[in-house]
Amino acid sequence: MNKIEVIEVFLGKEKVGRIALNEQGICAFEYDTEFLKTGFSLSPYHLPLHAGVFISTWTPFRGNFGVFDDSLPDGWGNLILDRYLLGKGIKSDKLSVLQRLALVGTTGRGALEYFPDKSVSIKNSYFDLEQLAVEAEKILTSEYSGEGLDTLYQYGGSSGGARPKIFVTFENRQWLVKFKATTDPQNIGKTEYEYSLLARECGIEMPETRLFENKYFGVERFDRTDAGKIHTVSVAGLLHADYRIPSLDYSVLLKVCLNLTKNMEEVYSLFRLMVFNVAIGNRDDHAKNFSFQYRNGEWKLSPAYDLLPSTGFNGYHTTTINGQGIPVMKDILQVANETGLLEKRAKEIISQVVDACRTKNLLCDIG
Ligand SMILES: Nc1ncnc2c1ncn2[C@@H]1O[C@H](COP(=O)(O)OP(=O)(O)O)[C@@H](O)[C@H]1O
Ligand SMILES: [Mg+2]
């Protein structure tokens, strides 16, 4: 792949800025002059909206800024990217961050687009889920890199998360469809679907979800609307937090939520999500499983995603609750208290969530 010196970053038709690498291979970013006048900060803690060159750090994103690292594939996406490139004689470990961003081009999650655009786009909207699931399984369990690989790369090469997944258009709407990882039980799709319904019942904002072919979990994309793409950044990206290890506590997360959104209702929503994660035993609550979106001039918590019971980090919540990997009720209340939530309202939220989970027989021990 050709060397790339500069990546230009766009939001729709608007040029946002440009990225280059310094001699140490670390990203330098500068906002475009026009965007400085009319735009907004892409990532308030690491890229505030002002003139000048920002230089990132090597960790945790190998020299990248968190907000741009969010556009890159991880887990599954990287696996198929590696195989796809290998088929073309390119070793992916030799790629620079700028080349990786070019491969995402205009196909990434969120709204940011990168030029030159070297992405591979899908030519038609036909998809055979059974077939793709079989191909995904083969890719996960062997060195396989047959024809299905190219198709999976085109459908989901810039997706995030560890499980195989694809982006598809169905009934004129954009969906994310997930397949099982090798360690998942056969009925994982159905389980994730049931938890998405439970989350909604608990008052958590979820996009529309459905089971494709009665088997595959599908969720409508919240970073796409008829009016255009929505700028979305994960908490890992916003805070430069390492999502592979426990790097956060919910009390920090809730304070970030208030600081960013300036809206206590958003903090209550995130608290509700925390209670839900504890109640169902979703301990895989790492910094990339929470996102914020910039819409109509304001930051808001994104709809929830990836809600499943999970053992997390060695059996502990990856985002701790009052410093505890396995919290009890006192810890939940302490987080509420520390974040300035009204005790009465926090307790109401806890009862609503716990009662709904108990009714469905999906409540974990919550101390
Ligand atoms: N409904 C959605 N709309 C847009 N992006 C989503 C949606 N759900 C998940 N994502 C993005 O896709 C990534 C992977 O999805 P996730 O459900 O976390 O998969 P995994 O189980 O592989 O971790 C998330 O980190 C998030 O960036
Ligand atoms: Mg995830």
Side-chain angles (χ1 to χ4, degrees):
M1 189 177 173
N2 290 343
K3 193 161 186 245
I4 291 173
E5 302 288 347
V6 175
I7 284 283
E8 300 208 308
V9 186
F10 278 75
L11 269 173
K13 292 197 183 341
E14 253 180 309
K15 188 167 160 193
V16 172
R18 53 202 186 121
I19 316 171
L21 295 181
N22 74 4
E23 279 170 11
Q24 287 80 42
I26 291 178
C27 287
F29 172 80
E30 150 174 81
Y31 281 108
D32 185 73
T33 339
E34 275 311 299
F35 193 79
L36 281 172
K37 292 183 207 149
T38 57
F40 64 96
S41 164
L42 293 183
S43 182
Y45 306 117
H46 286 272
L47 293 175
L49 190 68
H50 63 68
V53 177
F54 298 88
I55 310 276
S56 190
T57 48
W58 181 252
T59 54
F61 300 121
R62 301 179 68 80
N64 203 351
F65 286 96
V67 59
F68 306 131
D69 184 76
D70 260 359
S71 304
L72 294 178
D74 56 15
W76 164 253
N78 268 329
L79 178 70
I80 48 171
L81 174 65
D82 288 358
R83 300 259 176 102
Y84 175 79
L85 290 176
L86 212 55
K88 307 211 164 333
I90 301 170
K91 285 217 168 124
S92 66
D93 57 349
K94 298 275 182 293
L95 293 179
S96 72
V97 172
L98 303 189
Q99 287 169 316
R100 286 176 187 275
L101 288 170
L103 283 164
V104 168
T106 51
T107 66
R109 286 164 289 145
L112 296 177
E113 298 185 341
Y114 304 92
F115 293 88
D117 177 8
K118 305 276 182 197
S119 64
V120 183
S121 59
I122 305 166
K123 282 155 214 83
N124 59 46
S125 62
Y126 169 77
F127 55 95
D128 179 344
L129 289 176
E130 287 291 340
Q131 187 58 32
L132 288 174
V134 170
E135 299 289 344
E137 176 102 29
K138 281 197 225 161
I139 288 168
L140 284 175
T141 52
S142 68
E143 297 289 301
Y144 172 80
S145 55
E147 227 177 76
L149 176 77
D150 281 20
T151 318
L152 277 167
Y153 178 66
Q154 287 168 25
Y155 277 115
S158 52
S159 68
R163 292 194 174 86
K165 56 181 70 61
I166 55 171
F167 294 132
V168 291
T169 307
F170 178 74
E171 291 178 346
N172 284 326
R173 287 149 73 187
Q174 314 266 326
W175 298 80
L176 176 76
V177 181
K178 291 167 77 169
F179 303 123
K180 75 184 258 311
T182 38
T183 49
D184 286 331
Q186 282 299 337
N187 60 349
I188 184 81
K190 214 166 183 171
T191 308
E192 186 158 4
Y193 177 63
E194 279 160 11
Y195 277 96
S196 74
L197 299 184
L198 177 62
R200 201 169 301 126
E201 215 179 297
C202 290
I204 290 167
E205 188 191 348
M206 285 292 296
E208 187 165 339
T209 55
R210 57 175 287 154
L211 264 187
F212 284 92
E213 323 255 336
N214 208 23
K215 208 167 151 189
Y216 307 112
F217 176 73
V219 55
E220 189 170 10
R221 290 184 67 174
F222 52 66
D223 56 344
R224 298 287 181 271
T225 68
D226 290 342
K229 300 181 179 181
I230 312 286
H231 180 55
T232 307
V233 196
S234 75
V235 167
L238 275 170
L239 299 184
H240 280 207
D242 192 336
Y243 57 92
R244 297 176 206 278
I245 53 167
S247 53
L248 276 179
D249 191 90
Y250 277 98
S251 55
V252 176
L253 200 55
L254 289 159
K255 282 172 198 152
V256 168
C257 180
L258 180 59
N259 181 272
L260 206 57
T261 66
K262 319 272 184 256
N263 184 345
M264 238 13 226
E265 288 310 308
E266 296 289 300
V267 183
Y268 278 106
S269 298
L270 183 53
F271 177 74
R272 189 182 287 275
L273 181 56
M274 173 189 104
V275 175
F276 183 77
N277 284 340
V278 176
I280 66 162
N282 175 18
R283 295 180 179 166
D284 192 30
D285 44 359
H286 58 73
K288 261 204 182 183
N289 275 343
F290 303 95
S291 292
F292 287 91
Q293 301 193 289
Y294 190 82
R295 289 183 89 153
N296 306 323
E298 289 177 350
W299 285 96
K300 290 195 69 175
L301 184 65
S302 82
Y305 53 95
D306 210 4
L307 302 179
L308 274 168
S310 160
T311 49
F313 198 82
N314 293 335
Y316 297 98
H317 277 271
T318 316
T319 295
T320 52
I321 297 102
N322 191 33
Q324 302 302 317
I326 301 186
V328 293
M329 192 57 82
K330 168 179 93 37
D331 297 309
I332 297 179
L333 291 171
Q334 178 58 30
V335 167
N337 182 19
E338 213 181 296
T339 325
L341 304 189
L342 298 172
E343 188 175 327
K344 182 164 170 281
R345 194 162 163 200
K347 284 185 168 164
E348 274 165 18
I349 290 174
I350 297 168
S351 315
Q352 282 165 4
V353 171
V354 165
D355 290 350
C357 294
R358 187 179 288 124
T359 308
K360 290 275 169 0
N361 236 347
L362 295 173
L363 181 67
C364 249
D365 181 16
I366 190 169

